[in-house]
Amino acid sequence: MIRPTRKAVLLFAGVLPVPWLLLSYRPEWWPFAFEGSLLVLIGLGVDAVLARPRRQIQARVDAPEIAYVGDSMHAAITLTGSSVPAQYEIALDVQAAVPTRVAGSAEAGGVAIPLRQRGQLTIESLWMRWRGPFGLIEETRRFPVDRKVAVVPNTLARRGEDLALYFRDALFGAKVQRGWGEGSEFESLREYAPGLDPRFIDWKHSARHRKMLVREFRAERNHPIVLAFDTGHLMREPVEEVPRLDHALGSGLLLARVALGAGDLVGLYGFDSRTRYYTPPVRGTHTFRRLQESSAELHYSADETNFTLGMAELQARLPRRSLIVLFTDFVDTITAELLFENVRRLVSRHLLVFVTIRDNLLAEVFDGFPGDNRQIARAVLADDFRRDRGVVLEKLERLGVHCIDLPPSEVPVALLNHYLVIKQRGLL
């Protein structure tokens, strides 16, 4: 498609009234009245001829097969042909949950596509636009692409000093651990050395062997872990431009990767007004790929979450004590009343980690300087919501629930540390 540019339209419109002004001054100049417009039209024709490439241009779009939600995917664009313009603009038609078009330039060498939702992303076509040497004509061409990219939750590990510390000790048993309940297994006896905890001295065997012996323990494996995701309407709300559900899936799958490497079993459970998806806990590092693909089955829902049905269904599916990591959200203490009753029944048999994604918007509204009465009222409401949230989390902790309420960037490391501390202390 070829069309004149804005520069050409303004030039033609500026030249057009000049002959009429001259005719009003000298009528005998009428044979030359339209020569200015003709010159512009001739310039348009010459620019159009020079703008069209003499040979066919080929376009190729290179994009990864898998991309992570919340990041930006770079789609590299390669144009081949002897007549590729030096300056051009490019745009991609992207078919996703919300169809959109993203643009780039020749200097960038491609297009950065922001990824805001999970699912299948299809790059349908490439649009290219360039101008002639005079800047009077621009041509636009469409190149079909049909490139598919799977947008999955972000499982890139966020490292920290606390994570490195617990990871070294909990997974490989390098540290003497207390054997409480089902969570630890007796490993061996070793001779006491300075620096070891004297509380683990085995006095009976020390007397028999006539030297100080201490007990060593290792973390028990084969624990079932269920990642339970609330897919209700509250989890659709964006935090830092990404839905809460996608933040939760990224943190949960990161935990699944570590837990599978530690020898535990990991399963997936999704619910809102009814059960949406369930995979029983399975061991093996090869399971992570299946869990990652299964996360695509957890769609965004506009239904209200039914905690009674969801927790009862999950408890019926778990025959043995398990670690349940529940990713959900709530508004105030009233909406959390049913949550308390179901959690109380759940923690009587299982170990529960309650994870919520904190939005810093409430803190920003409360900490900001109010300029008028409306902003003061907003600050008061924000403080009320924060106080209600703290009350709910405190009640859950009194029931024996491990609570995590942090911004999205801090949740993955905090969740892994909770898991590793649970393994270290043998709470399962």
Side-chain angles (χ1 to χ4, degrees):
M1 181 177 63
I2 189 169
R3 64 179 184 180
T5 62
R6 179 178 297 181
K7 177 182 177 180
V9 173
L10 294 177
L11 181 60
F12 186 82
V15 172
L16 189 61
V18 173
W20 301 101
L21 294 175
L22 293 177
L23 287 177
S24 64
Y25 178 69
R26 290 291 182 91
E28 60 271 16
W29 288 357
W30 66 268
F32 310 99
F34 297 97
E35 288 186 359
S37 301
L38 289 175
L39 289 176
V40 175
L41 293 176
I42 292 173
L44 288 173
V46 173
D47 202 32
V49 172
L50 296 177
R52 294 191 64 85
R54 295 179 178 85
R55 295 185 181 181
Q56 188 69 20
I57 298 177
Q58 300 294 332
R60 187 183 67 189
V61 178
D62 295 324
E65 296 182 356
I66 296 179
Y68 296 101
V69 65
D71 293 341
S72 293
M73 179 187 70
H74 181 75
I77 298 175
T78 305
L79 300 175
T80 57
S82 59
S83 302
V84 177
Q87 298 292 331
Y88 56 85
E89 297 176 345
I90 50 180
L92 296 177
D93 278 338
V94 178
Q95 181 68 31
V98 179
T100 184
R101 176 174 292 183
V102 290
S105 61
E107 291 78 8
V111 176
I113 303 175
L115 306 175
R116 296 292 178 252
Q117 291 184 330
R118 288 175 297 108
Q120 190 79 15
L121 182 144
T122 303
I123 303 176
E124 294 185 338
S125 57
L126 165 68
W127 292 88
M128 179 179 174
R129 182 174 64 188
W130 67 92
R131 295 183 177 182
F134 302 148
L136 302 177
I137 291 296
E138 65 180 19
E139 184 170 355
T140 303
R141 285 193 182 182
R142 177 183 180 273
F143 302 91
V145 177
D146 195 23
R147 174 78 175 183
K148 299 185 183 298
V149 179
V151 182
V152 299
N154 194 343
T155 57
L156 299 177
R158 297 175 174 87
R159 302 184 181 274
E161 296 180 357
D162 296 337
L163 175 62
L165 172 65
Y166 287 128
F167 192 87
R168 184 186 67 248
D169 293 338
L171 292 186
F172 300 103
K175 185 177 181 179
V176 178
Q177 300 174 17
R178 196 176 189 86
W180 288 341
E182 303 175 5
S184 300
E185 290 181 344
F186 174 76
E187 173 69 15
S188 62
L189 290 172
R190 61 170 294 184
E191 187 174 357
Y192 178 80
L196 296 180
D197 195 335
R199 294 177 298 175
F200 299 120
I201 296 176
D202 191 324
W203 297 105
K204 181 177 180 180
H205 287 86
S206 297
R208 182 179 301 174
H209 294 276
R210 297 183 179 180
K211 59 181 178 180
M212 287 292 185
L213 299 176
V214 295
R215 290 170 292 178
E216 286 187 326
F217 298 89
R218 65 178 179 183
E220 185 181 357
R221 297 172 180 250
N222 301 324
H223 287 306
I225 301 173
V226 178
L227 305 176
F229 296 95
D230 174 9
T231 59
H233 67 97
L234 291 179
M235 298 296 286
R236 295 179 60 184
E237 296 182 359
V239 178
E240 298 180 1
E241 299 183 353
V242 177
R244 277 190 168 93
L245 180 58
D246 291 338
H247 286 302
L249 284 169
S251 302
L253 290 179
L254 181 59
L255 172 62
R257 173 176 288 177
V258 175
L260 291 171
D264 290 331
L265 296 78
V266 181
L268 201 65
Y269 180 67
F271 70 100
D272 42 70
S273 59
R274 59 186 178 89
T275 301
R276 299 292 181 178
Y277 192 81
Y278 177 74
T279 56
V282 183
R283 68 168 57 87
T285 54
H286 63 279
T287 307
F288 177 76
R289 181 70 176 182
R290 184 173 62 85
L291 291 174
Q292 195 174 35
E293 295 174 353
S294 300
S295 65
E297 302 294 331
L298 300 178
H299 302 293
Y300 308 101
S301 174
D303 298 344
E304 186 175 358
T305 303
N306 189 335
F307 287 104
T308 302
L309 179 62
M311 295 295 98
E313 180 72 18
L314 178 59
Q315 191 167 4
R317 293 175 181 266
L318 300 177
R320 56 176 289 196
R321 178 176 171 83
S322 306
L323 171 61
I324 300 174
V325 184
L326 176 60
F327 297 88
T328 184
D329 202 3
F330 56 91
V331 177
D332 50 24
T333 55
I334 298 176
T335 58
E337 287 298 330
L338 288 176
L339 179 63
F340 294 142
E341 297 299 327
N342 293 280
V343 165
R344 184 178 290 108
R345 290 192 292 267
L346 199 64
V347 297
S348 63
R349 182 177 180 182
H350 304 281
L351 182 63
L352 180 63
V353 177
F354 188 84
V355 183
T356 55
I357 308 296
R358 183 194 302 171
D359 192 351
N360 289 329
L361 178 62
L362 293 178
E364 293 175 0
V365 172
F366 178 75
D367 296 335
F369 182 78
D372 52 22
N373 292 335
R374 184 175 181 180
Q375 294 181 359
I376 294 175
R378 291 181 60 190
V380 171
L381 290 175
D383 185 51
D384 290 341
F385 278 117
R386 291 174 60 187
R387 188 182 298 109
D388 290 347
R389 198 175 187 87
V391 169
V392 172
L393 295 175
E394 184 179 355
K395 288 184 178 180
L396 290 174
E397 290 177 349
R398 290 179 180 177
L399 295 176
V401 178
H402 298 257
C403 296
I404 299 176
D405 181 43
L406 293 171
S409 59
E410 302 178 19
V411 170
V413 172
L415 180 58
L416 284 179
N417 286 337
H418 270 74
Y419 163 72
L420 296 173
V421 168
I422 289 171
K423 293 276 291 183
Q424 203 173 38
R425 296 180 179 177
L427 299 181
L428 278 174

